[in-house]
Amino acid sequence: MHRFFIPDKSFDNDHAAISGDTAHQIIRVLRLKPGDQVVLLDNEGWEYQTVIKSITKDVVTGKILNKVLGTGEPSVKITLYQALIKSDKFEFVLQKGVEIGIHSFVPFVSERCVAKKPSENRIERWRNVIKEAAEQSRRSRLPEISQVISFEEACRQTLEPALILWEEEKTSGLKSALKSITFSKKKEFSVFVGPEGGFTSAEIEIASRYGIVSVGLGDHILRAETAGLAAISAIMYEKGELG
Amino acid sequence: MHRFFIPDKSFDNDHAAISGDTAHQIIRVLRLKPGDQVVLLDNEGWEYQTVIKSITKDVVTGKILNKVLGTGEPSVKITLYQALIKSDKFEFVLQKGVEIGIHSFVPFVSERCVAKKPSENRIERWRNVIKEAAEQSRRSRLPEISQVISFEEACRQTLEPALILWEEEKTSGLKSALKSITFSKKKEFSVFVGPEGGFTSAEIEIASRYGIVSVGLGDHILRAETAGLAAISAIMYEKGELG
């Protein structure tokens, strides 16, 4: 069944009025009809089984049949601090990251970033990529993406425990780091992933001052857009979230 | 430094004669010159530090400076049995799979496959995707890709231990399966990943007859092209290959 995140204000008792892009998708792309059912998501964790009652030119009205708490959220809340990388790669990271279960994304600029700072339009597009991936992968909450910040600002705002992937780190690996980390009750966790050219050793030094632990991924040479996803799959696995 | 897999017959004592696509890439794309160095790979695990001596229209001649055993191969040898999926997604799986460390690929057709059977050209293209990814990610051997076979044939030829990812499998998860598997000395391991629509229960039944264990990936709904990579990242991690 198709799933859609819609704004809180679209719900009114046992009815929902869907407009904007989501209405467009229901009416023009999926060509759903009155009588068809969809699942609406309020981004608070609830899922509303809804039957379409009427369709006008640009508004879909639905009647809510029931409401259940969604189960699509991992208990581990991973924030991916991702350096700006080429736009298609960045969108790839967002899409796959949402599927694997990232809680939120923080894009940042570091020394070796070559990708341009994104326009407002671009960030809007990123939000759409996240929304579509979250709907398709049956997430119950929409992962957030923040504004682009500087690397040092990112280090400053992150809470421990946090890891930074560094290809030159030969002494501390992901596995030993994960085994030695005690998760807080909130199960929050941050992972920093660099741009195509990686981090400089000065940046690793800065990160370490903020308590961020640098780890290597073994002998593998992974592209910027693959490293984070491999690491996050491993973290999800380690924390029992991957079956 | 640029790395290239070249055929065994291109080596002659301390010289190598590079022709074909690789010569084209060195001459026209990278515009390397005599005096520049490259690393040549014989796909037997050796890496040859080589200085370019001369360049003609379509042949590059290099002198081998030294020869070392490559270190880019994981000790775990994972074969990914991947159902045919849409072509761009399939190439994505090949590229990322090579980076993460897949040993070989076996494409197969199962009941819910909608992707068309690939032409010879397509398979040639796949080999190129693998070669480029292997060169970039500093692998010392070229992962193989077999011809497309049927699902049952794939089940028949695989050696235990083997897992099949099944989204409807709720009782056996990846983690418990991996913890209970004893790897053979050869450290070979197979993972089956289905097409966009997943496997049928009849197929899981067939797989089970061949000793292939079905596992779920938790509550995550991963796309066909993401599931295998997440699982393989987790396997590499579990086996100490991801740092």
Side-chain angles (χ1 to χ4, degrees), chain A residues 33 44 80 89 119 126 138 149 172 212:
Chain A
K33 302 286 174 217
E44 297 289 330
L80 177 62
K89 311 284 184 197
S119 62
W126 288 350
R138 301 195 211 157
I149 57 179
S172 158
I212 303 166

Side-chain angles (χ1 to χ4, degrees), chain A residues 6-163:
Chain A
I6 63 170
D8 202 37
K9 64 177 178 0
S10 307
F11 292 97
D12 183 15
N13 288 321
D14 63 346
H15 278 78
I18 306 162
S19 57
D21 287 349
T22 304
H24 175 85
Q25 216 196 336
I26 290 176
I27 303 168
R28 314 252 175 264
V29 182
L30 300 168
R31 295 163 189 259
L32 300 183
K33 302 286 174 217
D36 288 338
Q37 292 195 17
V38 296
V39 174
L40 301 179
L41 304 155
D42 64 1
N43 200 21
E44 297 289 330
W46 292 97
E47 306 187 355
Y48 301 78
Q49 187 76 31
T50 305
V51 59
I52 296 176
K53 281 292 175 191
S54 70
I55 294 181
T56 66
K57 195 168 139 279
D58 48 13
V59 176
V60 176
T61 308
K63 184 173 188 309
I64 293 160
L65 302 176
N66 63 59
K67 163 182 173 178
V68 293
L69 259 182
T71 55
E73 289 305 301
S75 65
V76 186
K77 294 189 176 68
I78 300 180
T79 298
L80 177 62
Y81 286 82
Q82 172 69 58
L84 290 185
I85 52 178
K86 274 180 22 186
S87 188
D88 56 329
K89 311 284 184 197
F90 197 89
E91 289 183 13
F92 163 85
V93 168
L94 295 177
Q95 186 192 64
K96 300 300 169 214
V98 169
E99 285 177 59
I100 298 171
I102 296 284
H103 182 263
S104 54
F105 297 91
V106 182
F108 66 86
V109 178
S110 65
E111 198 177 319
R112 294 191 186 143
C113 277
V114 288
K116 270 185 288 188
K117 220 173 160 176
S119 62
E120 254 315 308
N121 277 350
R122 175 73 62 187
I123 294 177
E124 199 45 44
R125 194 183 141 99
W126 288 350
R127 290 214 171 83
N128 274 327
V129 170
I130 290 174
K131 182 167 174 283
E132 280 178 24
E135 289 167 352
Q136 285 200 13
S137 58
R138 301 195 211 157
R139 298 283 301 263
S140 330
R141 283 175 195 262
L142 216 41
E144 281 174 25
I145 182 164
S146 77
Q147 293 297 315
V148 181
I149 57 179
S150 70
F151 174 69
E152 181 140 11
E153 177 58 31
C155 292
R156 199 178 303 132
Q157 73 163 233
T158 193
L159 300 167
E160 292 177 72
L163 298 179

Side-chain angles (χ1 to χ4, degrees), chain B residues 152-239:
Chain B
E152 183 141 9
E153 177 59 31
C155 291
R156 198 178 303 132
Q157 73 163 233
T158 192
L159 300 167
E160 293 177 71
L163 299 179
I164 183 165
L165 305 186
W166 194 38
E167 115 184 17
E168 291 174 52
E169 177 60 65
K170 301 298 176 201
T171 52
S172 157
L174 178 64
K175 198 165 192 167
S176 57
L178 280 181
K179 298 274 185 202
S180 69
I181 281 170
T182 318
F183 274 47
S184 71
K185 250 192 187 162
K186 286 183 166 178
K187 290 198 172 182
E188 289 171 352
F189 194 85
S190 299
V191 180
F192 280 68
V193 180
E196 289 86 350
F199 290 110
T200 64
S201 46
E203 285 170 334
I204 298 298
E205 185 63 40
I206 292 171
S208 134
R209 259 184 265 142
Y210 288 99
I212 303 166
V213 178
S214 82
V215 294
L217 292 182
D219 289 329
H220 295 262
I221 308 298
L222 300 171
R223 291 180 198 226
E225 79 272 18
T226 317
L229 300 178
I232 284 153
S233 300
I235 295 168
M236 286 289 181
Y237 172 81
E238 176 65 41
K239 295 300 164 191

